[in-house]
Amino acid sequence: MSPATSFGLSEAAACVFAPRPDDHKYRRGLVELRTGSLAYPGAAVLGAEAAARGGAGFVRYAGPHAVASRVLDRRPETVCASGGHDADVVVAGSGVEDPGDPRLVDAVRRARGGSATVLDATALQAVPTEDPAVPGAVLTPHAGELAQLATRLVGRRIRVRDVEGDPEGIAAEVARATGAVVVAKGHRTIVASPDTLAVVVAPTSWLAVAGTGDVLAGLVGALGATAAHRDPVPPLAELAAAAAWLHGRAGALAAARVLDPAAPADDVLDDVSRAHRPVGGPVTALDVADALSGVIAAVLAR
Ligand SMILES: NC(=O)C1=CN([C@@H]2O[C@H](COP(=O)(O)OP(=O)(O)OC[C@H]3O[C@@H](n4cnc5c(N)ncnc54)[C@H](O)[C@@H]3O)[C@@H](O)[C@H]2O)[C@@H](O)CC1
Ligand SMILES: Nc1ncnc2c1ncn2[C@@H]1O[C@H](COP(=O)(O)OP(=O)(O)O)[C@@H](O)[C@H]1O
């Protein structure tokens, strides 16, 4: 495998598409969210917001009725009926309590068949140890989840500190074991496929709050679904890295807007020398999801 490449604005821009005159909601891409539970309804709301702000044409939610009504309170355009068109991307796991939930079991089956599927949080536990091939999947573990997943799949005990010491190596091992794209989240997010490795550095650490991972999962879904209707379709690893890059920029924009609500989105696109310093103020996961539209608009305007 070649050494890790660093992922930036020009690579992300190749994964962001403006709507064409002959597009309609389905051609803009359909994301199905299999997220949330009675214990964690917020994860479903956050993913729906991110999928919509990330440019999907159609966001469908599959989950408990009580969770669906929370999603609809925030995003009434979400379709909560089952059936209809096939999803371009399924996003599964954020905020789901039970790894045996049929929504996750079916998502793993879909990923095994090669269809684009984001497996986040609890869905990572639904990947079987004995038969872990999920070539359609984008796996989105944080360091704790990656340590657990790698321990199961590569056959030796891997601790969180091992992941923190060598996220590239462990993400790459899991990518080879599963055939999937692995997005090892953190300040430096590693995006590994069985034969590629990219690093996305976040421009802010205000992202380190609960729920921002749920936002990232929804955004991967939106970029994947939109790209599914383009020719050529960018590789899943590039789409996942673009999502991580845009997510970091949205975090920076949301943090900057704490100081100055009119801060322009274009200002966060370029790397800034003080990026590692705590520019801005505390953000919420919903702030980050909200900021995605502005960051995408700024990328398209360049
Ligand atoms: N508003 C909501 O409904 C939210 C729901 N969430 C859902 O809550 C469930 C549990 O999520 P958790 O992430 O707490 O999972 P877990 O409770 O399974 O894992 C967290 C464990 O991993 C360890 N850990 C090690 N490195 C870590 C790192 N870099 N980041 C985070 N934890 C690390 C922690 O110390 C902790 O012991 C998931 O389904 C998730 O999607 C969260 O996303 C938070 C927001
Ligand atoms: N110190 C940090 N600097 C920049 N980004 C971070 C930092 N810590 C976490 N993140 C980002 O925040 C998100 C957190 O995801 P995750 O841990 O899954 O949270 P949750 O499950 O609560 O949604 C990831 O996208 C990760 O890359």
Side-chain angles (χ1 to χ4, degrees):
M1 188 189 312
S2 33
T5 56
S6 115
F7 197 92
L9 171 60
S10 57
E11 292 84 6
C15 295
V16 173
F17 299 98
R20 302 157 293 197
D22 61 346
D23 272 339
H24 49 65
K25 59 191 175 187
Y26 293 115
R27 233 179 250 158
R28 279 296 286 166
L30 195 164
V31 180
E32 179 171 307
L33 302 169
R34 303 183 189 175
T35 54
S37 59
L38 298 184
Y40 302 112
V45 176
L46 291 166
E49 180 78 26
R53 294 280 175 208
F58 196 114
V59 181
R60 185 160 67 209
Y61 177 71
H65 184 72
V67 179
S69 47
R70 302 283 192 95
V71 170
L72 289 171
D73 284 346
R74 172 73 195 181
R75 292 263 55 103
E77 62 275 26
T78 311
V79 173
C80 295
S82 57
H85 275 247
D86 287 344
D88 295 302
V89 180
V90 164
V91 178
S94 328
V96 175
E97 273 197 287
D98 173 13
D101 186 312
R103 293 179 293 168
L104 306 191
V105 174
D106 183 73
V108 169
R109 191 178 306 129
R110 176 187 156 91
R112 176 170 296 127
S115 298
T117 309
V118 180
L119 299 178
D120 184 42
T122 314
L124 298 166
Q125 298 170 42
V127 176
T129 308
E130 301 310 322
D131 183 14
V134 281
V138 177
L139 310 176
T140 53
H142 57 55
E145 292 162 336
L146 183 54
Q148 277 186 11
L149 186 65
T151 296
R152 278 202 302 119
L153 301 188
V154 308
R156 64 178 194 280
R157 173 91 196 274
I158 292 171
R159 299 175 180 81
V160 171
R161 65 168 181 270
D162 301 322
V163 171
E164 288 171 343
D166 180 21
E168 285 93 341
I170 291 169
E173 274 193 274
V174 173
R176 287 193 295 272
T178 55
V181 172
V182 177
V183 177
K185 296 180 292 190
H187 175 70
R188 291 171 74 251
T189 291
I190 311 302
V191 182
S193 76
D195 50 13
T196 62
L197 197 61
V199 180
V200 182
V201 180
T204 178
S205 287
W206 287 115
L207 279 168
V209 290
T212 49
D214 307 331
V215 169
L216 178 66
L219 178 60
V220 177
L223 293 193
T226 304
H229 298 271
R230 302 292 165 148
D231 185 13
V233 179
L236 214 43
E238 284 172 31
L239 292 162
W245 189 90
L246 293 166
H247 180 258
R249 266 42 210 185
L253 181 59
R257 285 186 172 165
V258 176
L259 272 181
D260 174 7
D266 189 72
D267 281 6
V268 303
L269 297 190
D270 299 305
D271 287 319
V272 277
S273 56
R274 295 189 309 151
H276 60 286
R277 291 179 51 191
V279 175
V283 302
T284 68
L286 209 43
D287 295 336
V288 177
D290 278 346
L292 289 170
S293 299
V295 171
I296 288 172
V299 169
L300 290 170
R302 278 286 179 102

